[in-house]
Amino acid sequence: MKLLRFGPKDFEKPGILDSDGNIRDLSAIISDITGQTLSPQRLSDLKKIDFKTLPLVPSDMRMGPCIGGVRDFLCIGLNYKDHAEETGKSLPKEPLLFNKLTSSIAGPYDDIIIPKGSLKTDWEVELGVIIGAKAKYVSEKNALNYVAGFCVVNDVSERTFQYDRAGQFVKGKSCDTFGPIGPWLVTTDEISNHQNLDIWLEVDGKRMQNSNTREMIFSVSYLVSYLSQFFTLQPGSIIATGTPSGVGAGFKPEPIFLKPGQNVKLGLTGLGMQEHQTIAE
């Protein structure tokens, strides 16, 4: 299934993409798409519905973040060898974990706001993993049993805030609109091999990032298992699994960063595409 949310910001309703590519309104069946609706049993019940009997949603309706009520927004750094190399960092021996505040979450076509004082706003296309069941001390072999689905994530980052202003990465990762997710939450049964998805990003029509999730250093299964050794992964939490090379900070001889008035497109095979305009705050 391709689950989604539509409507004005903070008033989104649940929806689903039918087999013809039309958005159908799920609000008569579930109140929202959150961690509470992503259990294996709830997803199984949803699959039994004839979606074409549900009301159509106008095609010009705003698409919101594909999941609401996100518990935690966890991110993995330097999870592609070529990205580590372009940033001059050593390959991690263990997953490098940091957080984005959930207030950064935005819809897949919302504007990206360049914050006040920004000098180095950057892009990062990533595979997002959405947890569907509580996971604590799970094995790598069983880790995918706790995953409800996948989505596109743009881990927008302000490098000055991230690296030059002291403290943790969270300051440079959590500005408003810095966490677009969606357009869809694609359930695991629709993705035959999540470790073989093309992943790409363009700025003003120029391909900046172009890779495949098979290039990850730490796989999705490893990440879910690894994180669960330290804390309980809650339903509705997102893990952004890292970005490949081609971020603005890695360009030589001079880095390239986003300015107001630019267009950013990004996507992964089977998970849809995001498109954003950049604007000044």
Side-chain angles (χ1 to χ4, degrees), residues 26-67:
L26 276 175
S27 58
I29 298 169
I30 55 175
S31 60
D32 200 355
I33 296 169
T34 66
Q36 293 181 334
T37 59
L38 296 180
S39 69
Q41 183 59 54
R42 295 294 297 274
L43 291 179
S44 178
D45 292 341
L46 280 177
K47 290 175 186 177
K48 299 172 184 177
I49 297 168
D50 181 359
F51 300 122
K52 291 187 177 181
T53 64
L54 300 175
L56 277 168
V57 175
S59 59
D60 60 351
M61 180 69 70
R62 172 186 175 267
M63 294 278 283
C66 59
I67 180 171

mmCIF file of all heavy atoms in Angstrom, residues 26-67:
data_model
loop_
_atom_site.group_PDB
_atom_site.id
_atom_site.type_symbol
_atom_site.label_atom_id
_atom_site.label_comp_id
_atom_site.label_asym_id
_atom_site.label_seq_id
_atom_site.Cartn_x
_atom_site.Cartn_y
_atom_site.Cartn_z
ATOM 1 N N LEU A 26 -9.239 8.095 3.323
ATOM 2 C CA LEU A 26 -9.372 7.018 4.306
ATOM 3 C C LEU A 26 -9.989 7.473 5.619
ATOM 4 O O LEU A 26 -10.082 6.696 6.567
ATOM 5 C CB LEU A 26 -7.989 6.419 4.616
ATOM 6 C CG LEU A 26 -7.416 5.344 3.705
ATOM 7 C CD1 LEU A 26 -5.996 5.002 4.147
ATOM 8 C CD2 LEU A 26 -8.272 4.088 3.707
ATOM 9 N N SER A 27 -10.407 8.744 5.701
ATOM 10 C CA SER A 27 -10.782 9.295 7.008
ATOM 11 C C SER A 27 -12.045 8.677 7.591
ATOM 12 O O SER A 27 -12.293 8.806 8.794
ATOM 13 C CB SER A 27 -10.935 10.814 6.918
ATOM 14 O OG SER A 27 -11.893 11.185 5.952
ATOM 15 N N ALA A 28 -12.865 7.994 6.787
ATOM 16 C CA ALA A 28 -14.024 7.298 7.334
ATOM 17 C C ALA A 28 -13.632 5.972 7.987
ATOM 18 O O ALA A 28 -14.441 5.361 8.691
ATOM 19 C CB ALA A 28 -15.052 7.054 6.235
ATOM 20 N N ILE A 29 -12.385 5.552 7.762
ATOM 21 C CA ILE A 29 -11.931 4.252 8.263
ATOM 22 C C ILE A 29 -10.918 4.407 9.391
ATOM 23 O O ILE A 29 -10.980 3.706 10.404
ATOM 24 C CB ILE A 29 -11.328 3.425 7.110
ATOM 25 C CG1 ILE A 29 -12.405 3.172 6.048
ATOM 26 C CG2 ILE A 29 -10.733 2.124 7.612
ATOM 27 C CD1 ILE A 29 -11.878 2.607 4.769
ATOM 28 N N ILE A 30 -9.982 5.334 9.234
ATOM 29 C CA ILE A 30 -9.005 5.627 10.277
ATOM 30 C C ILE A 30 -8.906 7.139 10.440
ATOM 31 O O ILE A 30 -9.130 7.894 9.495
ATOM 32 C CB ILE A 30 -7.611 5.036 9.971
ATOM 33 C CG1 ILE A 30 -7.103 5.508 8.597
ATOM 34 C CG2 ILE A 30 -7.644 3.517 10.040
ATOM 35 C CD1 ILE A 30 -5.688 5.057 8.290
ATOM 36 N N SER A 31 -8.570 7.584 11.640
ATOM 37 C CA SER A 31 -8.538 9.020 11.914
ATOM 38 C C SER A 31 -7.282 9.688 11.370
ATOM 39 O O SER A 31 -7.288 10.869 11.032
ATOM 40 C CB SER A 31 -8.659 9.275 13.412
ATOM 41 O OG SER A 31 -7.585 8.664 14.107
ATOM 42 N N ASP A 32 -6.201 8.936 11.280
ATOM 43 C CA ASP A 32 -4.940 9.482 10.777
ATOM 44 C C ASP A 32 -3.987 8.328 10.529
ATOM 45 O O ASP A 32 -4.277 7.175 10.895
ATOM 46 C CB ASP A 32 -4.341 10.469 11.792
ATOM 47 C CG ASP A 32 -3.326 11.433 11.181
ATOM 48 O OD1 ASP A 32 -3.009 11.292 9.977
ATOM 49 O OD2 ASP A 32 -2.854 12.318 11.914
ATOM 50 N N ILE A 33 -2.863 8.631 9.906
ATOM 51 C CA ILE A 33 -1.806 7.641 9.739
ATOM 52 C C ILE A 33 -0.707 7.994 10.731
ATOM 53 O O ILE A 33 0.030 8.958 10.554
ATOM 54 C CB ILE A 33 -1.278 7.620 8.295
ATOM 55 C CG1 ILE A 33 -2.391 7.168 7.347
ATOM 56 C CG2 ILE A 33 -0.077 6.678 8.183
ATOM 57 C CD1 ILE A 33 -2.088 7.357 5.890
ATOM 58 N N THR A 34 -0.646 7.232 11.809
ATOM 59 C CA THR A 34 0.337 7.430 12.872
ATOM 60 C C THR A 34 0.895 6.064 13.244
ATOM 61 O O THR A 34 0.521 5.040 12.660
ATOM 62 C CB THR A 34 -0.310 8.069 14.106
ATOM 63 O OG1 THR A 34 -1.255 7.137 14.669
ATOM 64 C CG2 THR A 34 -1.028 9.371 13.762
ATOM 65 N N GLY A 35 1.766 6.059 14.238
ATOM 66 C CA GLY A 35 2.315 4.793 14.696
ATOM 67 C C GLY A 35 1.247 3.808 15.132
ATOM 68 O O GLY A 35 1.398 2.591 14.973
ATOM 69 N N GLN A 36 0.129 4.309 15.653
ATOM 70 C CA GLN A 36 -0.943 3.438 16.131
ATOM 71 C C GLN A 36 -1.651 2.699 14.996
ATOM 72 O O GLN A 36 -2.295 1.676 15.234
ATOM 73 C CB GLN A 36 -1.958 4.257 16.920
ATOM 74 C CG GLN A 36 -1.408 4.825 18.224
ATOM 75 C CD GLN A 36 -2.457 5.619 18.981
ATOM 76 O OE1 GLN A 36 -3.391 6.158 18.392
ATOM 77 N NE2 GLN A 36 -2.309 5.695 20.291
ATOM 78 N N THR A 37 -1.547 3.217 13.789
ATOM 79 C CA THR A 37 -2.235 2.573 12.657
ATOM 80 C C THR A 37 -1.300 1.712 11.821
ATOM 81 O O THR A 37 -1.702 1.220 10.774
ATOM 82 C CB THR A 37 -2.884 3.633 11.746
ATOM 83 O OG1 THR A 37 -1.889 4.528 11.259
ATOM 84 C CG2 THR A 37 -3.939 4.417 12.484
ATOM 85 N N LEU A 38 -0.046 1.534 12.275
ATOM 86 C CA LEU A 38 0.946 0.837 11.455
ATOM 87 C C LEU A 38 1.291 -0.555 11.959
ATOM 88 O O LEU A 38 2.219 -1.171 11.448
ATOM 89 C CB LEU A 38 2.227 1.678 11.362
ATOM 90 C CG LEU A 38 2.089 3.030 10.658
ATOM 91 C CD1 LEU A 38 3.431 3.741 10.642
ATOM 92 C CD2 LEU A 38 1.555 2.871 9.247
ATOM 93 N N SER A 39 0.555 -1.063 12.929
ATOM 94 C CA SER A 39 0.830 -2.418 13.399
ATOM 95 C C SER A 39 0.539 -3.414 12.277
ATOM 96 O O SER A 39 -0.272 -3.135 11.381
ATOM 97 C CB SER A 39 -0.043 -2.746 14.609
ATOM 98 O OG SER A 39 -1.409 -2.864 14.220
ATOM 99 N N PRO A 40 1.178 -4.557 12.288
ATOM 100 C CA PRO A 40 0.912 -5.558 11.248
ATOM 101 C C PRO A 40 -0.572 -5.893 11.107
ATOM 102 O O PRO A 40 -1.076 -6.050 9.989
ATOM 103 C CB PRO A 40 1.723 -6.768 11.725
ATOM 104 C CG PRO A 40 2.851 -6.175 12.499
ATOM 105 C CD PRO A 40 2.269 -4.981 13.187
ATOM 106 N N GLN A 41 -1.298 -5.969 12.235
ATOM 107 C CA GLN A 41 -2.726 -6.309 12.163
ATOM 108 C C GLN A 41 -3.532 -5.193 11.517
ATOM 109 O O GLN A 41 -4.399 -5.434 10.671
ATOM 110 C CB GLN A 41 -3.271 -6.592 13.563
ATOM 111 C CG GLN A 41 -4.733 -7.035 13.570
ATOM 112 C CD GLN A 41 -4.961 -8.300 12.762
ATOM 113 O OE1 GLN A 41 -4.310 -9.316 12.991
ATOM 114 N NE2 GLN A 41 -5.868 -8.252 11.784
ATOM 115 N N ARG A 42 -3.252 -3.941 11.895
ATOM 116 C CA ARG A 42 -3.987 -2.816 11.313
ATOM 117 C C ARG A 42 -3.714 -2.695 9.816
ATOM 118 O O ARG A 42 -4.617 -2.431 9.025
ATOM 119 C CB ARG A 42 -3.608 -1.508 12.019
ATOM 120 C CG ARG A 42 -4.003 -1.450 13.475
ATOM 121 C CD ARG A 42 -5.520 -1.454 13.689
ATOM 122 N NE ARG A 42 -6.169 -0.292 13.106
ATOM 123 C CZ ARG A 42 -6.305 0.874 13.718
ATOM 124 N NH1 ARG A 42 -5.808 1.038 14.936
ATOM 125 N NH2 ARG A 42 -6.945 1.868 13.142
ATOM 126 N N LEU A 43 -2.472 -2.899 9.423
ATOM 127 C CA LEU A 43 -2.148 -2.836 7.997
ATOM 128 C C LEU A 43 -2.814 -3.972 7.236
ATOM 129 O O LEU A 43 -3.293 -3.791 6.112
ATOM 130 C CB LEU A 43 -0.626 -2.887 7.802
ATOM 131 C CG LEU A 43 0.155 -1.655 8.274
ATOM 132 C CD1 LEU A 43 1.650 -1.865 8.043
ATOM 133 C CD2 LEU A 43 -0.317 -0.398 7.564
ATOM 134 N N SER A 44 -2.873 -5.143 7.854
ATOM 135 C CA SER A 44 -3.552 -6.286 7.225
ATOM 136 C C SER A 44 -5.031 -5.993 7.025
ATOM 137 O O SER A 44 -5.607 -6.323 5.976
ATOM 138 C CB SER A 44 -3.366 -7.535 8.088
ATOM 139 O OG SER A 44 -4.055 -8.632 7.534
ATOM 140 N N ASP A 45 -5.665 -5.358 8.002
ATOM 141 C CA ASP A 45 -7.073 -5.003 7.884
ATOM 142 C C ASP A 45 -7.298 -3.991 6.766
ATOM 143 O O ASP A 45 -8.273 -4.080 6.008
ATOM 144 C CB ASP A 45 -7.588 -4.426 9.210
ATOM 145 C CG ASP A 45 -7.644 -5.470 10.316
ATOM 146 O OD1 ASP A 45 -7.638 -6.678 10.003
ATOM 147 O OD2 ASP A 45 -7.695 -5.065 11.498
ATOM 148 N N LEU A 46 -6.400 -3.028 6.638
ATOM 149 C CA LEU A 46 -6.532 -2.021 5.593
ATOM 150 C C LEU A 46 -6.444 -2.640 4.196
ATOM 151 O O LEU A 46 -7.151 -2.229 3.271
ATOM 152 C CB LEU A 46 -5.448 -0.952 5.744
ATOM 153 C CG LEU A 46 -5.666 0.137 6.787
ATOM 154 C CD1 LEU A 46 -4.458 1.065 6.842
ATOM 155 C CD2 LEU A 46 -6.926 0.936 6.473
ATOM 156 N N LYS A 47 -5.586 -3.631 4.050
ATOM 157 C CA LYS A 47 -5.396 -4.256 2.734
ATOM 158 C C LYS A 47 -6.653 -4.946 2.226
ATOM 159 O O LYS A 47 -6.802 -5.179 1.021
ATOM 160 C CB LYS A 47 -4.243 -5.265 2.807
ATOM 161 C CG LYS A 47 -2.881 -4.624 2.963
ATOM 162 C CD LYS A 47 -1.814 -5.681 3.147
ATOM 163 C CE LYS A 47 -0.463 -5.052 3.453
ATOM 164 N NZ LYS A 47 0.592 -6.066 3.715
ATOM 165 N N LYS A 48 -7.567 -5.269 3.116
ATOM 166 C CA LYS A 48 -8.788 -5.976 2.717
ATOM 167 C C LYS A 48 -9.846 -5.043 2.129
ATOM 168 O O LYS A 48 -10.864 -5.492 1.607
ATOM 169 C CB LYS A 48 -9.364 -6.710 3.925
ATOM 170 C CG LYS A 48 -8.425 -7.768 4.507
ATOM 171 C CD LYS A 48 -8.977 -8.329 5.811
ATOM 172 C CE LYS A 48 -8.002 -9.315 6.447
ATOM 173 N NZ LYS A 48 -8.499 -9.819 7.764
ATOM 174 N N ILE A 49 -9.614 -3.742 2.218
ATOM 175 C CA ILE A 49 -10.605 -2.767 1.766
ATOM 176 C C ILE A 49 -10.516 -2.569 0.259
ATOM 177 O O ILE A 49 -9.425 -2.567 -0.323
ATOM 178 C CB ILE A 49 -10.373 -1.422 2.498
ATOM 179 C CG1 ILE A 49 -10.576 -1.595 4.006
ATOM 180 C CG2 ILE A 49 -11.291 -0.333 1.951
ATOM 181 C CD1 ILE A 49 -10.089 -0.410 4.812
ATOM 182 N N ASP A 50 -11.658 -2.417 -0.381
ATOM 183 C CA ASP A 50 -11.698 -2.048 -1.794
ATOM 184 C C ASP A 50 -11.551 -0.529 -1.868
ATOM 185 O O ASP A 50 -12.511 0.219 -1.700
ATOM 186 C CB ASP A 50 -13.022 -2.491 -2.425
ATOM 187 C CG ASP A 50 -13.092 -2.154 -3.908
ATOM 188 O OD1 ASP A 50 -12.123 -1.567 -4.445
ATOM 189 O OD2 ASP A 50 -14.120 -2.467 -4.543
ATOM 190 N N PHE A 51 -10.342 -0.075 -2.127
ATOM 191 C CA PHE A 51 -10.054 1.353 -2.053
ATOM 192 C C PHE A 51 -10.816 2.173 -3.088
ATOM 193 O O PHE A 51 -11.059 3.367 -2.880
ATOM 194 C CB PHE A 51 -8.549 1.589 -2.189
ATOM 195 C CG PHE A 51 -7.741 0.909 -1.124
ATOM 196 C CD1 PHE A 51 -6.757 0.002 -1.454
ATOM 197 C CD2 PHE A 51 -7.986 1.164 0.213
ATOM 198 C CE1 PHE A 51 -6.024 -0.636 -0.476
ATOM 199 C CE2 PHE A 51 -7.260 0.542 1.208
ATOM 200 C CZ PHE A 51 -6.275 -0.372 0.862
ATOM 201 N N LYS A 52 -11.211 1.548 -4.178
ATOM 202 C CA LYS A 52 -11.900 2.301 -5.230
ATOM 203 C C LYS A 52 -13.329 2.660 -4.847
ATOM 204 O O LYS A 52 -14.002 3.391 -5.565
ATOM 205 C CB LYS A 52 -11.857 1.527 -6.547
ATOM 206 C CG LYS A 52 -10.446 1.454 -7.133
ATOM 207 C CD LYS A 52 -10.422 0.840 -8.521
ATOM 208 C CE LYS A 52 -9.018 0.844 -9.088
ATOM 209 N NZ LYS A 52 -8.940 0.287 -10.455
ATOM 210 N N THR A 53 -13.783 2.151 -3.702
ATOM 211 C CA THR A 53 -15.102 2.549 -3.199
ATOM 212 C C THR A 53 -15.014 3.802 -2.325
ATOM 213 O O THR A 53 -16.044 4.359 -1.939
ATOM 214 C CB THR A 53 -15.734 1.417 -2.375
ATOM 215 O OG1 THR A 53 -14.939 1.176 -1.196
ATOM 216 C CG2 THR A 53 -15.812 0.129 -3.202
ATOM 217 N N LEU A 54 -13.806 4.229 -2.010
ATOM 218 C CA LEU A 54 -13.605 5.378 -1.136
ATOM 219 C C LEU A 54 -13.659 6.685 -1.930
ATOM 220 O O LEU A 54 -13.392 6.700 -3.136
ATOM 221 C CB LEU A 54 -12.256 5.265 -0.420
ATOM 222 C CG LEU A 54 -12.060 4.032 0.468
ATOM 223 C CD1 LEU A 54 -10.643 4.002 1.012
ATOM 224 C CD2 LEU A 54 -13.070 4.019 1.613
ATOM 225 N N PRO A 55 -13.996 7.799 -1.284
ATOM 226 C CA PRO A 55 -14.089 9.081 -1.989
ATOM 227 C C PRO A 55 -12.762 9.488 -2.623
ATOM 228 O O PRO A 55 -11.689 9.303 -2.038
ATOM 229 C CB PRO A 55 -14.490 10.070 -0.888
ATOM 230 C CG PRO A 55 -15.069 9.228 0.206
ATOM 231 C CD PRO A 55 -14.359 7.919 0.147
ATOM 232 N N LEU A 56 -12.848 10.052 -3.816
ATOM 233 C CA LEU A 56 -11.672 10.582 -4.489
ATOM 234 C C LEU A 56 -11.258 11.913 -3.858
ATOM 235 O O LEU A 56 -12.098 12.695 -3.412
ATOM 236 C CB LEU A 56 -11.954 10.813 -5.971
ATOM 237 C CG LEU A 56 -11.841 9.608 -6.913
ATOM 238 C CD1 LEU A 56 -12.436 9.954 -8.272
ATOM 239 C CD2 LEU A 56 -10.382 9.185 -7.062
ATOM 240 N N VAL A 57 -9.971 12.162 -3.842
ATOM 241 C CA VAL A 57 -9.422 13.425 -3.366
ATOM 242 C C VAL A 57 -8.958 14.218 -4.578
ATOM 243 O O VAL A 57 -8.309 13.663 -5.472
ATOM 244 C CB VAL A 57 -8.235 13.173 -2.403
ATOM 245 C CG1 VAL A 57 -7.572 14.481 -1.987
ATOM 246 C CG2 VAL A 57 -8.704 12.395 -1.176
ATOM 247 N N PRO A 58 -9.291 15.497 -4.672
ATOM 248 C CA PRO A 58 -8.842 16.300 -5.823
ATOM 249 C C PRO A 58 -7.329 16.223 -6.004
ATOM 250 O O PRO A 58 -6.568 16.245 -5.031
ATOM 251 C CB PRO A 58 -9.288 17.720 -5.455
ATOM 252 C CG PRO A 58 -10.435 17.531 -4.512
ATOM 253 C CD PRO A 58 -10.118 16.286 -3.735
ATOM 254 N N SER A 59 -6.903 16.130 -7.248
ATOM 255 C CA SER A 59 -5.489 15.953 -7.546
ATOM 256 C C SER A 59 -4.637 17.161 -7.151
ATOM 257 O O SER A 59 -3.421 17.039 -6.994
ATOM 258 C CB SER A 59 -5.297 15.662 -9.031
ATOM 259 O OG SER A 59 -5.815 16.726 -9.813
ATOM 260 N N ASP A 60 -5.259 18.321 -6.987
ATOM 261 C CA ASP A 60 -4.504 19.524 -6.628
ATOM 262 C C ASP A 60 -4.462 19.761 -5.122
ATOM 263 O O ASP A 60 -3.980 20.796 -4.663
ATOM 264 C CB ASP A 60 -5.077 20.755 -7.328
ATOM 265 C CG ASP A 60 -6.537 21.022 -6.958
ATOM 266 O OD1 ASP A 60 -7.163 20.167 -6.287
ATOM 267 O OD2 ASP A 60 -7.053 22.076 -7.359
ATOM 268 N N MET A 61 -4.949 18.809 -4.340
ATOM 269 C CA MET A 61 -4.914 18.936 -2.881
ATOM 270 C C MET A 61 -3.470 18.857 -2.384
ATOM 271 O O MET A 61 -2.670 18.073 -2.897
ATOM 272 C CB MET A 61 -5.749 17.826 -2.235
ATOM 273 C CG MET A 61 -5.777 17.857 -0.725
ATOM 274 S SD MET A 61 -6.682 19.258 -0.042
ATOM 275 C CE MET A 61 -8.367 18.801 -0.488
ATOM 276 N N ARG A 62 -3.136 19.667 -1.384
ATOM 277 C CA ARG A 62 -1.800 19.605 -0.804
ATOM 278 C C ARG A 62 -1.535 18.229 -0.212
ATOM 279 O O ARG A 62 -2.386 17.638 0.447
ATOM 280 C CB ARG A 62 -1.647 20.637 0.310
ATOM 281 C CG ARG A 62 -0.321 20.501 1.095
ATOM 282 C CD ARG A 62 -0.268 21.451 2.278
ATOM 283 N NE ARG A 62 0.940 21.231 3.069
ATOM 284 C CZ ARG A 62 1.018 20.425 4.130
ATOM 285 N NH1 ARG A 62 -0.066 19.763 4.546
ATOM 286 N NH2 ARG A 62 2.151 20.280 4.794
ATOM 287 N N MET A 63 -0.325 17.725 -0.449
ATOM 288 C CA MET A 63 0.134 16.483 0.163
ATOM 289 C C MET A 63 0.921 16.831 1.415
ATOM 290 O O MET A 63 1.863 17.629 1.371
ATOM 291 C CB MET A 63 1.018 15.714 -0.809
ATOM 292 C CG MET A 63 0.278 15.221 -2.042
ATOM 293 S SD MET A 63 -0.614 13.693 -1.716
ATOM 294 C CE MET A 63 0.737 12.539 -1.765
ATOM 295 N N GLY A 64 0.535 16.239 2.531
ATOM 296 C CA GLY A 64 1.242 16.475 3.777
ATOM 297 C C GLY A 64 2.305 15.420 4.026
ATOM 298 O O GLY A 64 2.519 14.516 3.205
ATOM 299 N N PRO A 65 3.001 15.498 5.156
ATOM 300 C CA PRO A 65 3.935 14.431 5.536
ATOM 301 C C PRO A 65 3.191 13.099 5.560
ATOM 302 O O PRO A 65 2.025 13.038 5.970
ATOM 303 C CB PRO A 65 4.386 14.844 6.936
ATOM 304 C CG PRO A 65 4.104 16.311 7.020
ATOM 305 C CD PRO A 65 2.902 16.554 6.179
ATOM 306 N N CYS A 66 3.834 12.036 5.133
ATOM 307 C CA CYS A 66 3.136 10.756 4.951
ATOM 308 C C CYS A 66 2.776 10.072 6.266
ATOM 309 O O CYS A 66 2.014 9.100 6.263
ATOM 310 C CB CYS A 66 3.947 9.819 4.068
ATOM 311 S SG CYS A 66 5.593 9.428 4.701
ATOM 312 N N ILE A 67 3.303 10.550 7.381
ATOM 313 C CA ILE A 67 2.916 10.021 8.682
ATOM 314 C C ILE A 67 2.859 11.171 9.672
ATOM 315 O O ILE A 67 3.675 12.097 9.624
ATOM 316 C CB ILE A 67 3.891 8.915 9.170
ATOM 317 C CG1 ILE A 67 3.458 8.368 10.542
ATOM 318 C CG2 ILE A 67 5.325 9.396 9.196
ATOM 319 C CD1 ILE A 67 4.225 7.140 10.988
#
